[in-house]
Amino acid sequence: MTAISLGVPEVPVRPIAERRVSRQIQVGPLAVGGTAPVSVQSMTTTRTSDIGATLQQIAELTASGCQIVRVACPTQDDADALAVIARKSQIPVVADIHFQPKYVFAAIEAGCAAVRVNPGNIKQFDDKVKEIARAAKEHGTPIRIGVNAGSLDRRLLEKYGKATPRRSSSRRCGRRRSSRSTTSGTSRSRSSTTTRWSWSTRTASWRRSATTRCTSA
């Protein structure tokens, strides 16, 4: 049976939520924020120091529609593996830094497309903010400030008596602004312009189709 068009216009798809106005940055070749389409991001579950296994997961995620991949960097061995992974990955690699400020510098030097830091679990982060901002600016590397209730700054817990991630991220972003780094982008975890989920190639394509509903025209 042949379908007959009655000339009735299609109802536009309503966005799941209104997008927060943000500054657009580049994560490798991919535009993030501003009016750019919502990007799909995932994270590997391997030890980053296992380069072969990590690249295998990245390849599977890429085939499933993932556009940005995050890899954990809690050890020196992981930091040493970043250069090879960033070079061989087909999509931008974001280094998720833990514990030591020196891993931030290693990720920037390794050519990672971006760096994610959680100040609450990095020792002496406050003392290194200016150096980190300077290095990021020189290399054009955006920095994402990500916080969570499990690793908030102890001073904030003492002051407010409970988890206040918005205050923590705002405090850190404010400190970065005072360091005059103008090329690096920051975003709070709860309002990031990327969609994040645990590694799963079976759900990646579904997530990608879902995010198109959030994309600004």
Side-chain angles (χ1 to χ4, degrees), residues 145 147 164-174 188-189:
I145 306 295
V147 298
T164 55
R166 182 175 292 275
R167 292 182 183 275
S168 180
S169 59
S170 297
R171 178 172 179 269
R172 300 297 179 174
C173 289
R188 291 189 289 266
S189 286

Side-chain angles (χ1 to χ4, degrees), residues 83-134:
V84 175
I85 292 171
R87 185 174 69 253
K88 293 189 175 183
S89 173
Q90 293 182 313
I91 57 177
V93 173
V94 178
D96 195 331
I97 306 301
H98 297 264
F99 310 135
Q100 297 289 340
K102 64 181 180 179
Y103 301 151
V104 180
F105 298 106
I108 293 173
E109 292 291 339
C112 289
V115 176
R116 184 259 185 181
V117 296
N118 179 354
N121 75 359
I122 298 180
K123 296 179 180 179
Q124 300 177 331
F125 181 82
D126 291 359
D127 299 335
K128 297 291 184 179
V129 170
K130 288 186 177 180
E131 292 179 49
I132 290 172
R134 188 180 303 114

Side-chain angles (χ1 to χ4, degrees), residues 157-208:
L157 289 175
E158 292 174 352
K159 182 175 181 179
Y160 296 103
K162 61 180 180 179
T164 55
R166 182 175 292 275
R167 292 182 183 275
S168 180
S169 59
S170 297
R171 178 172 179 269
R172 300 297 179 174
C173 289
R175 183 165 286 153
R176 284 196 66 258
R177 283 194 293 271
S178 68
S179 67
R180 298 183 180 179
S181 173
T182 58
T183 60
S184 299
T186 61
S187 64
R188 291 189 289 266
S189 286
R190 64 181 296 176
S191 56
S192 173
T193 54
T194 56
T195 299
R196 303 179 300 279
W197 70 97
S198 298
W199 180 80
S200 171
T201 55
R202 288 183 297 178
T203 61
S205 58
W206 176 85
R207 295 279 186 169
R208 194 176 197 284

Side-chain angles (χ1 to χ4, degrees), residues 70-86:
R70 200 161 93 235
V71 298
C73 186
T75 71
Q76 185 61 54
D77 288 342
D78 297 321
D80 293 340
L82 291 175
V84 175
I85 292 171

